[in-house]
Amino acid sequence: MSTISLAPVFLVGLLGSVHCAGMCGGIVSAFSIAPARRFPVAVVSLRSAAPGPALARVLAYNSGRIASYMAAGALAGGLAGAARTLSGLAVIETAAYWLANLMLVVLGLYLMDAWRGLARVEQLGRTLWRRIEPATALLLPLDSPAKLVAMGAVWGWLPCGMVYSVLLTAMLSGSALSGAAVMLAFGLGTLPMLLSMGMLGAPLRNAIARPLVRRACGLMVLAFGAVGMLRAARGVDHGWIDALCIAVPALLP
């Protein structure tokens, strides 16, 4: 079983949330205003809204979103742990470790707009999403905290290459509980950005969309993956470097 470090996972969520700002920022901003009777898609500025109620709405939505991440992490960790137990093959863990770190490199390139291959992975999730999306209409108008939590839970399954990348780390954890913990750390990392987007709207979104910001964040995410692969290849000494790796398999020295 791998030893999962939640601090790098949190940082991946924090840095990768520049992608969330573009993909989900408008949705969160719209959800945080007065209840709508039709699905809101435009980015809405909240400067005229009351801070208290708006913040409560954004928190309710994001709690549902993170709960969905945890459910997906528990499923991934539980299934992968069971498969490894049945097979008894350490090679499966090693392959998954390399793949998880490779996906971080790919995610970094995606955030930097250097390579858009991860967008193809997102396309694979759209088949499932087409089945889930109609459920959003049943929750309108968003006039209660419960509906906002439920809407966030539904939107937590929106196809997202960044989420898929971190789910590979959840698989490495080896159990449903630790898989959920990985996705909780990731979700909490994305929370500051989406809370800010919900309160500030388009101005923050425009600032985050700057190429320099995306490249800097993408480069740091890429570095996490590169360090992990160097660690696996024994190209660097272990010790303090383990704190920068998302996971350290027990089979590695």
Side-chain angles (χ1 to χ4, degrees):
M1 182 183 297
S2 298
T3 300
I4 302 295
S5 178
L6 296 181
V9 175
F10 174 85
L11 289 175
V12 167
L14 184 64
L15 296 168
S17 60
V18 295
H19 173 63
C20 301
M23 186 174 184
C24 304
I27 297 169
V28 177
S29 293
F31 284 170
S32 60
I33 63 173
R37 296 190 177 277
R38 42 186 297 184
F39 187 72
V41 293
V43 177
V44 181
S45 173
L46 296 178
R47 285 178 292 183
S48 60
L55 179 59
R57 294 174 67 82
V58 175
L59 283 171
Y61 167 81
N62 279 284
S63 65
R65 176 180 63 88
I66 294 174
S68 285
Y69 291 169
M70 293 176 66
L75 182 62
L79 290 178
R84 186 179 182 281
T85 298
L86 290 174
S87 65
L89 295 177
V91 67
I92 294 178
E93 182 180 358
T94 303
Y97 176 80
W98 276 90
L99 182 58
N101 282 284
L102 178 61
M103 285 297 290
L104 286 184
V105 172
V106 171
L107 175 59
L109 294 172
Y110 180 51
L111 294 173
M112 297 166 65
D113 288 324
W115 187 60
R116 303 288 295 177
L118 200 55
R120 299 189 184 97
V121 179
E122 291 179 347
Q123 291 293 332
L124 298 177
R126 297 192 184 280
T127 301
L128 174 62
W129 176 244
R130 282 195 292 268
R131 298 178 180 276
I132 297 175
E133 186 178 16
T136 59
L138 302 176
L139 298 172
L140 298 178
L142 297 175
D143 52 4
S144 71
K147 286 186 176 182
L148 282 161
V149 171
M151 182 66 83
V154 173
W155 276 93
W157 297 96
L158 185 72
C160 177
M162 186 171 72
V163 174
Y164 299 156
S165 299
V166 182
L167 275 174
L168 285 173
T169 303
M171 290 175 61
L172 278 174
S173 67
S175 72
L177 183 60
S178 53
V182 167
M183 295 309 292
L184 173 60
F186 167 74
L188 291 177
T190 65
L191 190 57
M193 175 65 71
L194 288 179
L195 282 180
S196 300
M197 283 298 305
M199 299 304 299
L200 300 177
L204 178 62
R205 184 182 183 185
N206 293 336
I208 296 301
R210 294 176 181 174
L212 182 60
V213 175
R214 290 184 61 90
R215 288 170 188 163
C217 292
L219 184 60
M220 285 186 278
V221 171
L222 185 152
F224 279 117
V227 168
M229 288 191 289
L230 284 172
R231 173 70 173 85
R234 305 180 188 181
V236 292
D237 292 333
H238 61 88
W240 66 268
I241 206 73
D242 288 351
L244 301 179
C245 299
I246 57 173
V248 180
L251 55 93
L252 293 178

